[in-house]
């Protein structure tokens, strides 16, 4: 079943049902540019019940993070490559196919390379993404998250497809990634990102399609986003205090969501320019726990 409109998207659980005013406020963020935070910080119901989760591995640095082994597979090969799980039956993930899209690319394309935005306009092939104040690039964080999540998913019997096979090249543009996701047999597609906002803006948020187009799987996108949000919150991670509502931030301005025909959601794991969030995002233990929560969210979506 498809939603008539993205404005009908609501949290999945009674505990998270927001007031009509807060829902409207959250949806208003759908069209806000990343660099233009018009919404005032708001306290999330989830956030007030969840412990802070950034203390672990405080000694970890971006330099530590960069020691993760690179994937030697070429982008082309990895796009088509499958890593089939071999550990037998592991619940809802066994035998399922998950498409992971680590956002951006190791080498940003020129601004002049434009592609469709999925709604009649154009966008850059891939934006450069953000980075921490210390120079830890978002594309590298996204790549590390993809590796962690891929490992966990394959251990649970899932097949994992990746939108890019390394963190060095230009990789596919955002429209080509969506086309490959659509032509795969993926049961869920998850784009992996981190945000770049001002100090004090912190926490994760998950985006489903807003104002869906006829070809979108709006119900699937929303259910996947809610499952991911629920799992991240249950693991103790703090929902965004600056975008969306209760960790959800549906968007109509993302090519990857606009072109998608599959259940697809995009995670912003935190703000790389916030001093608390970057400790979590730079920590191998933090990334591992974020990956575990992501896998739990995907599994809950598939088991629904
Ligand atoms: Zn990003």
């Amino acid at each position: 079943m498809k939603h008539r409109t993205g404005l009908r998207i609501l949290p999945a659980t009674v505990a998270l049902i927001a007031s009509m005013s807060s829902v409207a406020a959250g949806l208003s963020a759908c069209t806000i540019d990343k660099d233009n935070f018009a919404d005032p910080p708001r306290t999330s119901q989830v956030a007030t019940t969840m412990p802070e989760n950034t203390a672990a591995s405080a000694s970890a640095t971006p330099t530590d993070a960069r020691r993760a082994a690179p994937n030697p597979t070429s982008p082309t090969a990895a796009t088509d490559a499958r890593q089939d799980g071999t550990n037998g039956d592991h619940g809802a993930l066994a035998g399922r196919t998950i498409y992971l899209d680590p956002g951006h690319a190791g080498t940003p394309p020129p601004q002049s390379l434009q592609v469709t935005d999925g709604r009649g306009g154009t966008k850059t092939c891939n934006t450069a993404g953000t980075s921490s104040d210390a120079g830890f690039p978002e594309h590298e964080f996204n790549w590390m998250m993809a590796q962690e999540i891929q490992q966990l998913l394959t251990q649970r019997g899932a097949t994992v497809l990746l939108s890019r096979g390394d963190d060095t090249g230009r990789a596919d543009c955002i429209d080509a990634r969506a086309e490959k996701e659509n032509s795969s047999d993926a049961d869920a597609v998850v784009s992996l990102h981190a945000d770049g906002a001002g100090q004090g803006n912190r926490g994760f948020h998950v985006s489903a399609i807003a104002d869906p187009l006829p070809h979108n799987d709006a119900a699937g996108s929303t259910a996947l986003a809610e499952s991911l949000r629920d799992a991240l919150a249950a693991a103790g991670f703090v929902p965004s205090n600056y975008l969306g509502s209760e960790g959800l931030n549906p968007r109509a301005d993302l090519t990857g969501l606009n072109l998608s025909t599959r259940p697809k959601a995009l995670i912003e794991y935190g703000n790389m320019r916030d001093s608390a969030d970057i400790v979590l995002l730079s920590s191998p233990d933090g990334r591992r726990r974020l990956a575990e929560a992501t896998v739990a969210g995907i599994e809950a979506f598939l088991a629904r």
Side-chain angles (χ1 to χ4, degrees):
M1 185 181 72
K2 292 183 183 298
H3 287 259
R4 286 179 298 161
T5 162
L7 295 178
R8 297 298 179 190
I9 294 169
L10 291 171
T13 63
V14 173
L16 293 169
I17 290 175
S19 69
M20 289 307 292
S21 60
S22 66
V23 169
L27 291 171
S28 73
C30 302
T31 55
I32 292 174
D33 187 86
K34 274 188 173 186
D35 298 323
N36 180 18
F37 302 111
D39 278 2
R42 63 175 64 85
T43 301
S44 162
Q45 185 176 349
V46 176
T48 58
T49 60
M50 294 298 166
E52 294 294 311
N53 211 346
T54 56
S57 301
S59 62
T61 66
T63 301
D64 294 329
R66 289 197 185 92
R67 291 183 190 137
N71 187 325
T73 315
S74 73
T76 301
T79 299
D80 298 326
R82 289 166 178 271
Q83 186 167 347
D84 292 309
T86 55
N87 291 348
D89 187 358
H90 291 272
L93 285 165
R96 309 302 286 271
T97 299
I98 310 302
Y99 214 120
L100 299 177
D101 170 32
H104 310 284
T107 304
Q111 286 284 329
S112 58
L113 185 54
Q114 295 282 307
V115 299
T116 177
D117 69 356
R119 293 185 187 266
T122 59
K123 274 196 159 186
T124 303
C125 160
N126 274 306
T127 56
T130 189
S131 64
S132 73
D133 291 339
F136 180 26
E138 183 202 344
H139 65 78
E140 185 176 344
F141 167 80
N142 299 339
W143 175 247
M144 290 174 169
M145 287 303 303
Q147 302 306 292
E148 292 279 358
I149 296 166
Q150 179 182 32
Q151 181 183 50
L152 294 170
L153 287 171
T154 53
Q155 286 172 355
R156 288 160 175 75
T159 295
V160 176
L161 304 176
L162 290 171
S163 65
R164 55 185 171 103
D166 59 37
D167 194 43
T168 57
R170 180 180 290 182
D172 284 332
C173 294
I174 46 179
D175 61 334
R177 297 188 197 202
E179 290 170 9
K180 290 182 178 178
E181 293 158 9
N182 291 344
S183 63
S184 76
D185 56 357
D187 298 293
V189 183
V190 183
S191 288
L192 313 170
H193 287 257
D195 208 358
Q199 170 68 25
N201 296 305
R202 61 169 308 206
F204 75 84
H205 61 271
V206 186
S207 293
I209 185 71
D211 192 14
L213 300 162
H215 60 263
N216 294 142
D217 182 351
S221 175
T222 299
L224 177 59
E226 290 178 348
S227 291
L228 290 166
R229 182 276 311 274
D230 290 348
L232 287 163
F237 298 107
V238 182
S240 172
N241 67 0
Y242 65 103
L243 280 177
S245 177
E246 308 288 359
L248 294 176
N249 184 34
R251 291 178 65 170
D253 62 326
L254 297 173
T255 297
L257 291 178
N258 291 343
L259 295 178
S260 180
T261 61
R262 298 202 168 269
K264 182 173 182 178
L266 181 147
I267 305 173
E268 297 274 7
Y269 282 106
N271 173 17
M272 298 191 83
R273 294 191 176 275
D274 176 76
S275 58
D277 273 5
I278 193 57
V279 173
L280 171 70
L281 303 176
S282 298
S283 153
D285 176 70
R287 290 194 297 272
R288 186 70 174 185
R289 289 183 293 115
L290 286 167
E292 288 169 347
T294 303
V295 170
I298 295 170
E299 185 165 32
F301 165 75
L302 294 174
R304 78 197 191 287

